[in-house]
Amino acid sequence: MIRVSIVGASGYAGMELVRILLRHPAVSLAHLAVREPAGQRFSDLFPALRGLCDLPLSGFEVEKITEESDLVFFGLPHTSSMEWVPRFMQSGIRLIDLSADYRLDRADLYRSAYGCEHRQPEALKQFVYGLPEFNRSRIAASTVVANPGCFPTSVELALMPALQRGLIETASIIVDSKTGVSGGGKSPKPAFHYPEANENLAAYKVGRHQHEPEMEQELAKMAGGPVDILFVPHLAPMTRGIFSTIYARLCAPAETEEVLASYEECYRGEPFVRLLPAGEAPQTRHVCGSNFCDIGMTVVGRNLILMSAIDNLVKGASGQAVQNMNIMLGLDETLGLL
């Protein structure tokens, strides 16, 4: 059995990782680490897993965790991972970071997006961006993977085939995304408080969301040049899920069926991307709890409207991290995820 540990297991992503790994046939959980274990068990934090995962919580014991693990997931908040990841990297252990600390290629982009200096800028080039559908071979050859953000996953999977094939213009792509409140993490924030979020829909961080540089970085790699997106995120009154609607200008006239055929060719054999019939729109409830990304599209005149739906805690976080783990370890990519 492959021994897996989670550093920062007390958040929503940590809970979802444990839920998935408990049903993974090739994995055993070695350590579930939190900052202050206080003699608790994992099921004390998440009673839904009582009797299923009663492992005692450990502290961030670097030497013990690395010696008793084959792979470590990091579920720490942004800006916290880079405090601990270097200590684990020294052992050469395989690791997957779910925070944003190693997704960007340049330290200046990180400073601009997250408002602080990166503590380990030399490591940014070592990490492989963990979007399996387009980086599978690099993920398989790497020991350190940066798991993509939730918004970027929904947007990149929807846009990349069109950019790869030169179907759309790369300027002024409009991205309108809605997310459930779990996307804000477990720590309480006023906007995510039930009376504020319930029966309400609100845009936030307009023109300054930290995921926009990540999207433009990865989309530019696919397009072979700069990609300019206008990203507006919204907080929706639901617990989990992301729905992205993307508006792009076609380079040449095309029918919906023609664009869909290009996408079908691109995603043929991909286990977690589901393309919907022409003109059909995805729904967040159809991907809830799953690692699927559902994509729909419609052409209106010279405009391509793309729609994608994911579960932000699964394909947008922990499920994609397990998918990356399977690839890194040479396992069937779908293990534990279907």
Side-chain angles (χ1 to χ4, degrees), residues 81-82 85-86 97 99-104 118 120 123-124 127 146:
S81 272
M82 59 182 168
V85 162
D97 183 29
S99 84
D101 286 359
Y102 296 91
R103 295 177 194 156
L104 296 172
H118 202 286
Q120 199 188 12
L124 294 177
F127 275 76

Side-chain angles (χ1 to χ4, degrees), residues 7 35 60 62 66 72-77 79-102 118-120 123-124 126-127 143-146:
V7 174
R35 289 186 183 275
F60 293 180
V62 178
T66 53
V72 178
F73 292 101
F74 285 82
L76 297 172
T79 74
S80 295
S81 272
M82 59 182 168
E83 176 186 348
W84 289 96
V85 162
R87 309 183 197 189
F88 285 81
M89 283 182 70
Q90 291 176 0
S91 71
I93 195 169
R94 289 183 176 91
L95 61 89
I96 299 173
D97 183 29
L98 277 75
S99 84
D101 286 359
Y102 296 91
H118 202 286
R119 299 182 186 181
Q120 199 188 12
L124 294 177
Q126 298 177 41
F127 275 76
T143 57
V144 288
V145 168

